[in-house]
């Protein structure tokens, strides 16, 4: 606290990201990064930008990247907005599309950045409880008086997927308000709602290159929706930072979107490792929620989540534990390579005795 701070800053409760430890030999299963690394074509495109051209500002509209996203989904580039990680895209959506007189709705257990943006932009919000099996109930949102709605699909940290017809039922049932679907994990087993944006002008879908395209370090994300929604995001962006994506990011992100082969091969590997890990975790006595993401959410009936997380840490493995009501017995575990999953399982066996 300082007398120099503004009132808004004094009141903020900032987001705390998962730890990025400086110790190299840790097995890092805490922030849902992808173990397989970026497309070699993306790396080559990034390297090609690190020269004399850096003296010039990048394209403020990142058209190369926007066009690659449009190509990938078979839509028009004017339906695409890109940003410095999907967190930035989300932030602009909170200010530009989710701030209204009536409250913004999101699940009680969800991405913990959402209440942080509400604090930053002074947005009134209300949380809607997930059901007993940690599922989103669309009827609860349809029945509520809302200014806007946002949730991740699959949800985080629960990993549960809401089927596409349920998303459409929600979007069609609330045509007067914006619905934002945060699809950070959709490529690991779900069907994207991007196709619905063509017939529902109130739907905005946000994705990231951090997870399924293994580019968390590059910082690239995008939104897809009706051009009127995209214009709102552009108005915020152009009132904040004209050049949020640098030259390396624009080139690398575009190349990553185009490299469908690498994308499919690596996400298939992650999904195969997930099925293998889930089966073994269940044999070890864990309850594992059905996952359509590159992480699982699991609890042991007899062991406290925080205790398990510390015991794993002592053995060089870091996972995420949330000291939050309803989920404090759970661990959120990123799907690593099969080798990393095996190391996790042996450590758990040792801990559980
Ligand atoms: C990881 C994640 C993001 C943010 O990803 P960026 O790295 O900022 O693109 C957004 N939403 C959810 C639910 C996430 O888990």
């Amino acid at each position: 606290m300082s007398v120099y701070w503004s009132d808004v800053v004094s009141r903020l409760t900032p987001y705390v990201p998962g730890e990025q430890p400086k110790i190299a030999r840790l097995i890092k299963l805490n922030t849902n990064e992808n173990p397989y690394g970026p497309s070699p074509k993306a790396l080559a495109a990034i390297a090609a930008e690190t020269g004399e051209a850096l003296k010039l500002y990048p394209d403020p509209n990142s058209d190369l990247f926007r066009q690659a996203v449009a190509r990938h989904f078979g839509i028009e580039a004017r339906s695409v907005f890109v940003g410095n990680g999907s967190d930035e895209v989300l932030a602009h959506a909170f200010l530009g599309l989710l701030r209204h007189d009536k409250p913004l709705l999101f699940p009680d257990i969800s991405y913990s950045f959402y209440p942080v943006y509400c604090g930053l932009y002074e947005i009134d919000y209300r949380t809607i409880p997930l059901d007993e099996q940690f599922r989103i109930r669309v009827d609860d949102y349809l029945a509520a008086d809302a200014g806007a709605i946002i949730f991740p699909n699959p949800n985080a940290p629960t990993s549960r997927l809401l089927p596409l017809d349920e998303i459409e039922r929600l979007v069609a049932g609330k045509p007067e308000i914006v619905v934002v679907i945060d699809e950070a994990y959709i490529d690991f087993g779900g069907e994207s709602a991007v196709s619905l944006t063509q017939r529902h002008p109130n739907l905005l879908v946000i994705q990231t290159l951090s997870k399924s395209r293994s580019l968390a370090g590059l910082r690239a994300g995008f939104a897809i929706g009706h051009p009127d929604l995209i214009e709102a995001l552009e108005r915020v962006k152009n009132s904040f930072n004209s050049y949020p994506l640098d030259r390396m990011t624009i080139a690398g992100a575009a190349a990553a979107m185009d490299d469908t082969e690498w994308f499919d091969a690596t996400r298939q590997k992650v999904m195969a490792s997930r099925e293998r890990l889930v089966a073994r975790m269940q044999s070890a006595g864990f309850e594992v929620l059905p996952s359509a993401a590159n992480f699982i959410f699991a609890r042991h009936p007899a062991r406290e989540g925080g205790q398990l997380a510390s015991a794993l840490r002592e053995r060089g493995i870091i996972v995420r534990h949330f000291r939050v009501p309803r989920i404090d017995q759970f661990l959120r575990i990123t799907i690593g390579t099969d080798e990393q999953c095996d190391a996790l399982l042996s450590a758990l066996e040792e801990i559980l005795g």
Side-chain angles (χ1 to χ4, degrees):
M1 266 286 223
S2 158
V3 291
Y4 299 126
W5 289 5
S6 68
D7 288 346
V8 185
V9 162
S10 305
R11 280 196 304 267
L12 291 181
T13 313
Y15 178 73
V16 183
E19 189 193 349
Q20 294 292 343
K22 301 286 185 286
I23 316 159
R25 48 185 176 70
L26 283 182
I27 296 181
K28 198 177 166 306
L29 304 176
N30 67 328
T31 49
N32 300 340
E33 288 135 333
N34 184 322
Y36 296 111
S39 148
K41 290 178 183 161
L43 295 179
I46 293 164
E49 290 296 315
T50 60
E52 183 72 14
L54 284 176
K55 72 183 177 198
L56 301 173
Y57 281 106
D59 172 8
N61 301 319
S62 305
D63 278 335
L64 195 74
F65 178 23
R66 288 176 65 202
Q67 284 155 5
V69 172
R71 238 186 340 269
H72 180 79
F73 290 100
I75 54 171
E76 288 182 75
R78 65 194 193 106
S79 302
V80 180
F81 175 83
V82 299
N84 188 279
S86 65
D87 282 340
E88 185 185 75
V89 180
L90 283 165
H92 291 348
F94 272 74
L95 183 60
L97 295 167
L98 302 179
R99 182 182 176 175
H100 298 283
D101 292 335
K102 290 181 185 171
L104 170 66
L105 309 183
F106 50 83
D108 61 339
I109 297 162
S110 195
Y111 188 30
S112 43
F113 223 135
Y114 299 161
V116 175
Y117 292 131
C118 289
L120 178 61
Y121 295 124
E122 305 184 299
I123 298 169
D124 182 27
Y125 71 92
R126 191 153 81 74
T127 60
I128 306 282
L130 298 177
D131 75 6
E132 288 305 302
Q133 275 108 49
F134 300 97
R135 287 177 302 203
I136 288 169
R137 272 185 309 228
V138 163
D139 287 331
D140 294 348
Y141 291 82
L142 289 172
D145 200 22
I149 296 169
I150 183 169
F151 55 79
N153 194 41
N155 194 14
T158 63
S159 78
R160 294 208 72 153
L161 179 77
L162 188 66
L164 195 58
D165 55 345
E166 282 291 279
I167 302 275
E168 183 155 35
R169 194 162 72 84
L170 174 65
V171 172
K174 286 279 187 193
E176 71 286 2
I177 64 168
V178 172
V179 177
V180 174
I181 306 296
D182 177 356
E183 292 191 334
Y185 302 104
I186 196 70
D187 298 322
F188 299 105
E191 195 182 344
S192 174
V194 163
S195 60
L196 304 181
T197 60
Q198 302 297 299
R199 52 180 189 277
H200 296 286
N202 60 325
L203 171 64
L204 188 78
V205 176
I206 298 182
Q207 293 195 4
T208 174
L209 278 71
S210 297
K211 278 82 183 224
S212 56
R213 288 185 176 78
S214 201
L215 283 167
L218 195 65
R219 310 309 300 133
F222 57 87
I224 294 174
H226 189 280
D228 288 349
L229 302 185
I230 299 305
E231 191 184 341
L233 301 176
E234 275 165 2
R235 289 172 68 99
V236 176
K237 174 246 170 194
N238 289 321
S239 307
F240 181 76
N241 180 359
S242 306
Y243 309 104
L245 278 73
D246 59 56
R247 287 175 171 275
M248 284 79 75
T249 304
I250 294 169
M257 291 308 299
D258 283 339
D259 195 350
T260 308
E261 217 176 302
W262 182 266
F263 167 66
D264 285 335
T266 51
R267 68 195 178 116
Q268 294 302 336
K269 277 208 261 191
V270 170
M271 287 187 272
S273 298
R274 178 184 68 209
E275 297 321 304
R276 187 173 165 273
L277 177 65
V278 167
R280 294 178 188 198
M281 291 284 291
Q282 286 168 336
S283 310
F286 282 86
E287 177 198 351
V288 186
L289 296 190
S291 171
N294 69 335
F295 61 90
I296 58 168
F297 205 48
R299 67 177 154 194
H300 193 274
R303 292 301 186 95
E304 210 253 310
Q307 222 185 318
L308 284 175
S310 330
L312 283 170
R313 210 201 147 82
E314 282 161 22
R315 290 161 177 81
I317 299 172
I318 43 179
V319 300
R320 193 100 197 249
H321 172 254
F322 299 90
R323 227 165 273 289
V324 170
R326 289 189 78 186
I327 57 165
D328 59 357
Q329 192 157 2
F330 281 89
L331 297 177
R332 192 195 69 187
I333 304 170
T334 303
I335 308 300
T337 60
D338 282 339
E339 219 178 5
Q340 292 174 320
C341 292
D342 288 346
L344 168 81
L345 288 159
S346 334
L348 283 172
E349 273 164 29
E350 195 183 298
I351 295 162
L352 295 168

